[in-house]
Amino acid sequence: MAFEFFVKSDITFGRDSVKELSKVVKGCKAKKVMLVYDAGVKFAGIADTVLENLKTADVDIVIFDKVIPNPTNEIVEEAAEIAKRENVDAFVAVGGGSSIDLAKAIDVLMTNPGPIGRYGGIGMVENELLPLIAIPTTAGTSSEITNVSALIDTEKVLKYVVIDNKLVPSKVIIDPEFTKTMPASVTASTGMDAITHAVESYISNMATPLTEFHSLQGLKIIYSNLPAAVKDGSNMEAREQMMLGCVITGFGFSNANLGLVHGIAHTLSAHFQLAHGMANATVLPYVMAFNAESCPEKMVELAKAIDLPVTGNIDTDKYLLSDELLKLTKELGIKTLSEQGIREEDFEMLAEDVLHEPVLGFNPRQNITKEDILGILKKAY
């Protein structure tokens, strides 16, 4: 059986690798660069460090520091208008998934007509993009090496994705030192986002031997290092391994796609602005238990990958992973839906919207009903 596996990333990985930024920018032959980041990156001093290195590249710099969690169509259009007016010819995105996803979307509008919403879906972008250098500061989304930009349509009240191989950043600089300042709660939620990517892509009905390999290896690394990284943010070995696991997992899920966990998380973020990683983590154990009937063998393989005590009885072993994920979310302080301000009276509306999420097509268990989703939301409450 033939299958495709797309990898485009050019990665510089390791501590102090930000020092390579000037050389990378010069290699792009850029004259004016837009530096994209959020207030948290500025507050942590990371933006200033990047800016110092960028200045040595002898380019003009335009700063866009209005990145918001779950970037909207409006913020994309605003930033793109500035970039066009300033004749920007390259981008440097510093931060988590929101900053990198926003930069990708801005870049789309530099060489393709707007509005950005017309590119929702797979393979809708016509023209090649300008150079984009991604510098992640979290170990979670893998946006730095994926072909995806996740955005919010505030008019339709939905979170949608632009998926196109043209969106993969031209160059990636992964400096684990930049994750050291992340609060424990952010380390936990972004790490659980990465675990979600690993397990959902492994059981996806689009999975192939190559994606399965990356999903399993990424899961092993992330699961082994996440508690240590949350417990002690200065543990640079754990931080570095988290970044490595995130990249490996990204190669898997960007090819295999995701499933019901992300369908629910997208809807929660669209309506209530929940942080993406937290939204995923809250429902992850319950969706994995829901999916276990449809792919028991794969659930057992995931359990084996993280050394859970498999008994040989598939009827019970298929739930080992979901049980362990529930324990892990509690250990890491992942909040329930009620603790995040979601009300039970919101469930009907949320469940209706989840049914329209495209990612459900990649979920191993099909024919998902509104009642199924309501059951998961109630358990996560």
Side-chain angles (χ1 to χ4, degrees):
M1 179 179 177
F3 59 84
E4 294 184 7
F5 186 84
F6 177 82
V7 178
K8 182 184 175 184
S9 299
D10 183 352
I11 301 170
T12 299
F13 187 103
R15 301 178 201 181
D16 296 323
S17 56
V18 69
K19 295 177 180 178
E20 298 295 312
L21 178 59
S22 177
K23 182 173 70 175
V24 171
V25 172
K26 288 178 180 178
C28 295
K29 303 188 185 303
K31 295 180 179 179
K32 184 175 281 191
V33 174
M34 176 176 271
L35 180 59
V36 180
Y37 57 85
D38 63 20
V41 169
K42 174 67 175 177
F43 181 76
I46 295 171
D48 291 336
T49 300
V50 172
L51 189 57
E52 289 173 10
N53 283 275
L54 186 56
K55 286 178 178 177
T56 64
D58 193 27
V59 293
D60 292 329
I61 302 168
V62 177
I63 293 176
F64 188 84
D65 58 0
K66 299 179 182 179
V67 178
I68 58 175
N70 300 307
T72 62
N73 287 350
E74 289 84 358
I75 202 79
V76 173
E77 302 288 345
E78 176 186 345
E81 184 178 339
I82 296 170
K84 290 175 183 177
R85 185 172 67 241
E86 294 288 343
N87 293 314
V88 166
D89 57 2
F91 295 87
V92 175
V94 187
S98 294
S99 293
I100 299 172
D101 281 3
L102 176 60
K104 290 176 179 178
I106 301 167
D107 203 357
V108 168
L109 295 186
M110 297 301 288
T111 57
N112 295 271
I116 189 62
R118 70 191 292 177
Y119 302 106
I122 300 176
M124 304 295 288
V125 180
E126 295 182 6
N127 302 318
E128 294 293 335
L129 311 189
L130 299 177
L132 166 59
I133 302 161
I135 306 176
T137 61
T138 64
T141 68
S142 303
S143 183
E144 63 273 11
I145 55 95
T146 69
N147 58 356
V148 180
S149 175
L151 305 169
I152 297 287
D153 186 321
T154 53
E155 291 186 5
K156 297 179 180 178
V157 194
L158 62 83
K159 188 167 188 175
Y160 70 99
V161 290
V162 180
I163 303 177
D164 196 291
N165 290 343
K166 299 181 185 71
L167 269 64
V168 179
S170 318
K171 181 72 179 182
V172 184
I173 296 176
I174 299 178
D175 192 331
E177 290 288 339
F178 285 166
T179 66
K180 192 189 299 185
T181 58
M182 269 198 303
S185 60
V186 177
T187 301
S189 62
T190 55
M192 287 304 300
D193 188 21
I195 285 180
T196 303
H197 292 153
V199 298
E200 277 212 292
S201 58
Y202 186 72
I203 64 175
S204 165
N205 57 30
M206 294 291 288
T208 70
L210 274 173
T211 67
E212 290 171 351
F213 174 81
H214 285 85
S215 299
L216 280 181
Q217 293 304 312
L219 175 63
K220 290 177 183 179
I221 295 170
I222 297 162
Y223 175 82
S224 298
N225 289 277
L226 179 55
V230 172
K231 183 178 180 180
D232 179 9
S234 64
N235 182 337
M236 289 312 300
E237 177 61 28
R239 291 288 197 188
E240 191 166 40
Q241 287 298 304
M242 285 295 297
M243 296 295 273
L244 180 62
C246 188
V247 169
I248 293 171
T249 300
F251 290 144
F253 88 80
S254 61
N255 283 275
N257 287 300
L258 301 163
L260 178 58
V261 178
H262 273 73
I264 297 174
H266 287 170
T267 306
L268 288 167
S269 295
H271 285 280
F272 302 105
Q273 292 73 53
L274 264 61
H276 177 67
M278 186 67 76
N280 274 327
T282 303
V283 300
L284 175 62
Y286 308 106
V287 176
M288 288 300 105
F290 172 78
N291 279 328
E293 286 292 336
S294 62
C295 52
E297 293 84 3
K298 280 199 163 186
M299 288 297 182
V300 173
E301 290 305 312
L302 287 166
K304 289 179 179 178
I306 55 176
D307 297 323
L308 297 182
V310 175
T311 65
N313 181 350
I314 197 168
D315 290 332
T316 55
D317 288 347
K318 65 187 177 187
Y319 295 113
L320 286 173
L321 178 72
S322 56
D323 291 345
E324 177 62 18
L325 291 174
L326 183 57
K327 291 177 186 176
L328 184 60
T329 56
K330 292 183 182 300
E331 177 187 341
L332 298 179
I334 299 299
K335 296 179 179 179
T336 64
L337 290 179
S338 60
E339 290 171 336
Q340 295 179 72
I342 310 303
R343 303 169 304 172
E344 284 191 88
E345 50 261 45
D346 297 320
F347 287 178
E348 288 281 334
M349 172 271 295
L350 288 168
E352 288 280 0
D353 282 6
V354 171
L355 289 174
H356 300 292
E357 281 287 329
V359 290
L360 268 59
F362 307 114
N363 197 71
R365 183 167 172 176
Q366 290 290 293
N367 302 314
I368 298 168
T369 67
K370 179 180 175 180
E371 288 67 33
D372 292 331
I373 298 167
L374 286 171
I376 291 166
L377 293 172
K378 289 174 182 176
K379 289 177 181 176
Y381 188 69

